[in-house]
Amino acid sequence: MRNTDYYVPAVALGIAFLAKLPALRRGWRDPLVRSVNFLIFTAACCFFFAAPPTIRAVNDLTGVPNVSAPLVYSLTSAFSCACLLLIVNWRGGAPEEVRARSRAWSAVYAAAITALPVFFFLGDAPVERLRDLDTYYATTPYIREMIVTYLTAHMVSAVVTTTLCLRWAREVRQWLRAGLVVLVAGFVLNLLFGIAKLAAVAARWTGRDWDVLSTSVAPPLVAAGGLTVTVGFLLPLLGPQLSDACRAWTGHARLGPLWRLLRGPAQQRAAMPRIPWWSAPDMLLTVRETVIHDELLRLQPYLDDLVRRRAHDTAAAGGASEDRAAVVGVAAMVAAAVESRSRRPEPGSELDRGPGPEPDGGPGPSPVSEESAATAAMALTAVLSPGRRRLVQLSNALQSPIVAAARQEAAPRESSPR
């Protein structure tokens, strides 16, 4: 593995940890919050301190060859413990049982982490090995026990967490289930890492050379496993937020045609709330919906129910369902009303000069009758009453040829040459 394969994940996980520090300060008493942050922190440390340049720097700084080994192994064991604790607290249950299981696993891994440096200083590892320490010292007393201890701790965590996640995944749905499936994949990769390392070490015990499993196969497995596990834990936490944001952005984009149609020329636009483009997607969508509803309200004097009925009948005759025909009819009515309004200022505005000739000499169009406008407004309300989904359907229906034809009929005609 290249050095960047260690440092890039370490930096990414470090940023994620810093981003979650405010939540950790607010929810320090919540075991789940502590477990999430502990896992991210230990994962970042594992990647950083396992990088060969960092290993050499720590060895040089302390003056003890291979002292990075118990440090990296301890961090790996801490990460394994963090996975177990997070699963235990995440799944929940009776508070007393959760605390008891958490304390039991913490005690087991605390003992393993304590034993690692003890084994290291009892053994003898004078030759610095940056990438193959496990196999190089596989037969060295005490160093061998240190290696087996951390691999056992790592594999036990992988097996237990995989089993727990598989059982839990059968009981849940959506983002939580997706996160558990990703976790299973990550824990399986961690288990394969342990198997590859242990196989290479055991091969040395029998005089065989399977070092490639330890130096070439295992590192990519644990790197992918660590990142996959972290993603699996974060997915149920961030997934719903991402889904909501995607739905809001999609709705905002789909309402674009209707929003642009209703806004019309700049001189006819009403005041609009000003919010920055980087605002939350929900806020942007809410503002767009509010503007659309306000503009539809301003457009009511120009809504012609006759246009709606004609478009509805044309759509129904073309094989559209009643629901689709109703939406197309209202869309045609709205589009025609926009064209009608474009030739006459709104009633009561400063630009409204009353009936009379337009600048080109032709008569200016007047709002439709109150009866037709009232009927049309009722039809519009009926179509939009189910909420946001219908508003999107209305925006999509503007692409219909029937709506385009109705808008063209209502568009102002150019004066014939005299």
Side-chain angles (χ1 to χ4, degrees):
M1 291 177 61
R2 298 168 300 180
N3 294 334
T4 54
D5 294 335
Y6 294 93
Y7 290 127
V8 170
V11 171
L13 290 167
I15 293 173
F17 176 74
L18 293 176
K20 294 188 71 65
L21 276 180
L24 178 62
R25 285 195 294 267
R26 292 192 300 268
W28 174 252
R29 296 182 180 276
D30 188 343
L32 183 59
V33 174
R34 293 200 303 268
S35 299
V36 170
N37 285 272
F38 182 48
L39 181 137
I40 297 174
F41 176 75
T42 54
C45 289
C46 284
F47 278 107
F48 179 77
F49 285 99
T54 307
I55 292 175
R56 180 181 288 109
V58 171
N59 293 340
D60 293 343
L61 183 64
T62 60
V64 180
N66 298 311
V67 74
S68 281
L71 173 62
V72 173
Y73 296 163
S74 296
L75 290 172
T76 303
S77 299
F79 174 76
S80 300
C81 182
C83 294
L84 281 166
L85 293 179
L86 186 49
I87 289 292
V88 168
N89 285 281
W90 195 8
R91 186 165 189 179
E96 297 79 8
E97 295 180 2
V98 172
R99 282 195 295 269
R101 288 195 295 267
S102 298
R103 289 170 181 169
W105 284 117
S106 298
V108 170
Y109 277 84
I113 292 171
T114 302
L116 293 174
V118 173
F119 284 136
F120 175 78
F121 286 107
L122 288 175
D124 184 21
V127 180
E128 185 180 59
R129 310 299 299 185
L130 299 180
R131 298 180 183 272
D132 63 345
L133 183 141
D134 292 339
T135 51
Y136 188 86
Y137 290 106
T139 58
T140 302
Y142 296 111
I143 304 299
R144 171 187 58 215
E145 282 73 15
M146 177 187 70
I147 295 168
V148 172
T149 297
Y150 104 86
L151 287 177
T152 301
H154 190 75
M155 294 172 67
V156 166
S157 173
V159 171
V160 173
T161 49
T162 299
T163 303
L164 291 175
C165 289
L166 285 174
R167 292 177 181 174
W168 194 11
R170 300 190 187 102
E171 305 171 7
V172 295
R173 294 292 182 271
Q174 298 180 343
W175 283 106
L176 179 53
R177 186 172 190 176
L180 291 172
V181 171
V182 174
L183 281 175
V184 168
F187 292 138
V188 169
L189 289 172
N190 284 343
L191 180 59
L192 293 176
F193 160 81
I195 293 173
K197 281 278 188 180
L198 193 57
V201 170
R204 281 296 187 111
W205 297 341
T206 59
R208 296 184 179 89
D209 184 356
W210 292 359
D211 290 9
V212 66
L213 292 176
S214 178
T215 57
S216 300
V217 175
L221 287 174
V222 74
L227 286 177
T228 304
V229 167
T230 304
V231 171
F233 279 120
L234 294 178
L235 196 59
L237 303 176
L238 302 180
Q241 301 176 27
L242 293 175
S243 292
D244 292 342
C246 288
R247 280 194 292 267
W249 276 116
T250 301
H252 184 270
R254 289 179 176 176
L255 290 177
L258 181 59
W259 180 78
R260 288 187 289 271
L261 172 71
L262 293 173
R263 291 291 286 162
Q267 64 271 21
Q268 293 183 350
R269 294 178 182 175
M272 176 181 173
R274 294 185 177 275
I275 58 173
W277 61 268
W278 61 83
S279 299
D282 282 341
M283 176 64 70
L284 295 173
L285 178 59
T286 299
V287 170
R288 177 157 287 190
E289 289 177 333
T290 301
V291 170
I292 288 174
H293 282 292
D294 290 346
E295 293 294 335
L296 286 174
L297 184 62
R298 295 175 61 219
L299 197 64
Q300 282 189 6
Y302 301 92
L303 296 177
D304 190 344
D305 194 55
L306 179 59
V307 174
R308 181 192 65 81
R309 291 198 305 269
R310 287 175 178 170
H312 173 279
D313 294 344
T314 302
S321 64
E322 176 57 31
D323 184 73
R324 172 65 178 173
V327 174
V328 170
V330 170
M333 178 179 66
V334 169
V338 169
E339 293 296 341
S340 296
R341 185 180 64 176
S342 68
R343 292 178 288 160
R344 178 186 176 91
E346 288 188 73
S349 69
E350 293 182 0
L351 298 177
D352 182 17
R353 295 187 296 272
E358 292 292 307
D360 63 0
S366 300
V368 299
S369 67
E370 292 184 4
E371 180 180 358
S372 179
T375 305
M378 291 175 59
L380 176 63
T381 302
V383 166
L384 298 182
S385 57
R388 177 174 295 171
R389 181 178 62 87
R390 282 296 186 89
L391 205 59
V392 171
Q393 289 180 344
L394 182 62
S395 183
N396 293 338
L398 294 176
Q399 309 301 320
S400 169
I402 299 174
V403 176
R407 186 175 184 182
Q408 186 175 7
E409 290 179 5
R413 306 294 197 276
E414 293 185 2
S415 301
S416 59
R418 298 184 181 181

